Amino acid sequence: MKHFPLFYKCLFIILIVFVSTASLYASGSSETKDKILNIYAARNYASDEIAIAQFENVYSATVNVISGNPRELIARLSAEQENTPADILIAPDAGALTQAQHSGFLQPISSSIGSFIPSKFKANDNSWIGFTKRARVLIYDPLVTDPTNFPTYESLATRSDITIATRSSANAYNVSLIASRIAELGTDQTIAWVAGLVNNFAREPQGNDRGQIKLVASGNADVAISNSYYLGLMIHSQDPAERAIGESLRIWFPNQDSSGTHMNISGAGLIKYTKNKELAEKFIEYLLSEQIQELYTNENYEYPVNPAVPPGPTVASWGSFKESNFNLSDLRPYLQEAINIASQNGWY
Ligand code: FE
C-alpha cells in the first residue's frame, strides 16, 4: 500500500508533462496544426499519389488520405457529422459528390477557384468542382467491328447483331450514365434502352472497365462500355499483354450527331465542417493548376478541365469530339431511379 502514493505521484508528473507538451504543440504551433489536411478519397490512382506528394512539398503540409468507396465515405461523413476530421471529399464520379452536397456535408468553395470551369462540371452551389473529365465511350476492335453500326448509346439497344460488355449497373460510372439517359430520354425510353442493352450483353455484368476491354480484345464481345482513360492506362501498362490490347483497340465517341458523349468528372468537395478551410481550398486550387492538370492528362489519360492545358498526346490521339452538355449538378434526382430501372430490367 505504501507504494500507491508514489505511483500516483509518478502518474501525475507524467500527465503534467504530457498535457503541457500537447498544449504547447496545439497553441504554440498553429502553423503545424493548420498544415494537416485530411482527405476522404474514393479515387486512388498512381497520379493522385504524385499530386499529393507534390502538394505536401510545395505547401510543407501533411496530407492524410482515408480511402474508401463513395458509399463508405458518405456513410462515414453521415456518422461523424460536425466531428468529422475530413477537410475534402474526392470522388471519381459526380453522383457521389451531389449526394454529399445534398446531404449537407459540403460548403461552397471560394468562387475565385476554378472560375474557368464550365458550370456543367461543378456543383450549382460551388461545393464541389470537377478536376478531371472522362468520357464514357465505346471501345472496339477496328479489325472486327465497324462502330458506325452502333453510333449512339441508343443504337446499342436496338441492333440485334452486336454483343456488349459492361460492368455492373451498381457501379457509379454506369449509374451516372443511366441517370443522364433518364434526364435526356425520359423514364419509358430509358427502360426500353436498358432492356435492349441487357438483351445484347455478351455475359452477365462483372469485373471493372478494363475487364470489359479485355473481353473485346479476346473476341468475346463487340463493344465495351468504358471510361476513356482505361484504354490509355492499358496502352501504357507495364504488362506487355495489356499494352498489346490497348494498342489494338479504338475508342468510339457515341452520340456525335445528337446529344454528345456522356461526360463525368473526378471532383473535390469542400467539407462543411473542415477546420482547415484555407489549406483545403489551396489543395483544390492546386488540383486545377496547370502542373497537376498536365500530370493527370499525361499519367492518367484524363481530360483536363483547365482550358490552358491541352490533352496529353495519348488523349489527343483519340481526336476531338462533342461532349454532352448535361449539367452533372442535375444528376441527383435521377440516381435512385437509374438504379431501380437497371435492377428491374436485368442489368445487375
Ligand atoms: Fe476509374
Side-chain angles (χ1 to χ4, degrees):
M1 292 296 281
K2 271 186 182 173
H3 292 100
F4 266 93
L6 181 63
F7 170 76
Y8 282 119
K9 246 185 231 173
C10 290
L11 192 65
F12 184 69
I13 290 166
I14 290 168
L15 264 173
I16 291 289
V17 170
F18 175 77
V19 168
S20 52
T21 308
S23 61
L24 189 76
Y25 180 84
S27 63
S29 60
S30 63
E31 207 179 314
T32 309
K33 191 183 77 179
D34 289 344
K35 294 276 186 170
I36 295 174
L37 202 60
N38 295 315
I39 299 179
Y40 281 12
R43 167 187 154 117
N44 296 290
Y45 298 109
S47 50
D48 295 330
E49 286 176 25
I50 299 170
I52 286 169
Q54 289 184 6
F55 178 81
E56 287 181 315
N57 267 338
V58 172
Y59 288 92
S60 304
T62 300
V63 176
N64 299 316
V65 176
I66 294 94
S67 299
N69 67 41
R71 214 166 295 157
E72 288 164 353
L73 296 176
I74 287 173
R76 194 163 169 165
L77 288 169
S78 178
E80 293 168 344
Q81 295 290 331
E82 67 270 26
N83 297 318
T84 185
D87 300 302
I88 288 176
L89 172 68
I90 285 182
D93 160 68
L97 290 161
T98 63
Q99 279 182 312
Q101 174 194 350
H102 289 276
S103 301
F105 303 149
L106 304 181
Q107 62 171 308
I109 299 163
S110 165
S111 58
S112 62
I113 296 173
S115 53
F116 47 79
I117 297 174
S119 55
K120 65 180 177 176
F121 297 130
K122 53 189 174 189
N124 48 12
D125 66 353
N126 217 46
S127 61
W128 52 264
I129 294 180
F131 61 84
T132 64
K133 297 187 288 186
R134 52 274 299 282
R136 196 113 183 100
V137 297
L138 307 180
I139 292 180
Y140 66 99
D141 184 338
L143 299 179
V144 178
T145 311
D146 177 3
T148 59
N149 288 328
F150 44 87
T152 62
Y153 297 113
E154 292 75 36
S155 62
L156 293 176
T158 51
R159 288 198 70 95
S160 57
D161 56 347
I162 55 166
T163 52
I164 301 162
T166 182
R167 68 201 293 176
S168 163
S169 65
N171 170 259
Y173 304 150
N174 280 338
V175 173
S176 291
L177 173 66
I178 299 165
S180 75
R181 301 288 85 204
I182 301 170
E184 191 186 318
L185 307 171
T187 298
D188 290 347
Q189 281 194 56
T190 304
I191 290 172
W193 178 67
V194 167
L197 216 59
V198 169
N199 247 344
N200 287 339
F201 279 175
R203 63 174 180 187
E204 285 282 306
Q206 56 192 269
N208 54 22
D209 280 1
R210 278 181 214 239
Q212 316 316 316
I213 295 173
K214 287 177 180 172
L215 202 69
V216 170
S218 66
N220 291 304
D222 296 317
V223 56
I225 300 174
S226 171
N227 281 355
S228 45
Y229 53 86
Y230 285 110
L231 193 67
L233 289 168
M234 291 183 88
I235 290 169
H236 295 277
S237 171
Q238 301 289 325
D239 176 355
E242 277 202 353
R243 252 191 340 263
I245 290 173
E247 281 157 11
S248 68
L249 303 183
R250 298 288 178 272
I251 283 180
W252 177 263
F253 294 98
N255 293 45
Q256 291 304 285
D257 294 330
S258 50
S259 54
T261 297
H262 173 67
M263 302 299 291
N264 208 329
I265 48 119
S266 273
L270 181 61
I271 299 293
K272 183 177 176 182
Y273 301 109
T274 174
K275 291 144 198 93
N276 237 329
K277 187 175 174 186
E278 198 183 329
L279 190 64
E281 289 194 320
K282 272 186 182 143
F283 182 80
I284 294 170
E285 197 168 27
Y286 193 66
L287 291 178
L288 303 173
S289 69
E290 292 185 28
Q291 182 190 349
I292 300 303
Q293 292 286 296
E294 280 169 13
L295 170 77
Y296 280 137
T297 193
N298 288 320
E299 301 290 329
N300 210 43
Y301 314 103
E302 294 176 274
Y303 291 92
V305 289
N306 186 333
V309 178
T314 299
V315 178
S317 74
W318 300 328
S320 57
F321 65 100
K322 178 182 171 186
E323 294 179 351
S324 164
N325 273 329
F326 182 69
N327 191 321
L328 292 172
S329 214
D330 295 336
L331 266 179
R332 191 176 165 270
Y334 307 107
L335 292 172
Q336 190 55 50
E337 192 183 359
I339 293 167
N340 295 345
I341 287 177
S343 63
Q344 287 161 11
N345 290 280
W347 186 355
Y348 304 113

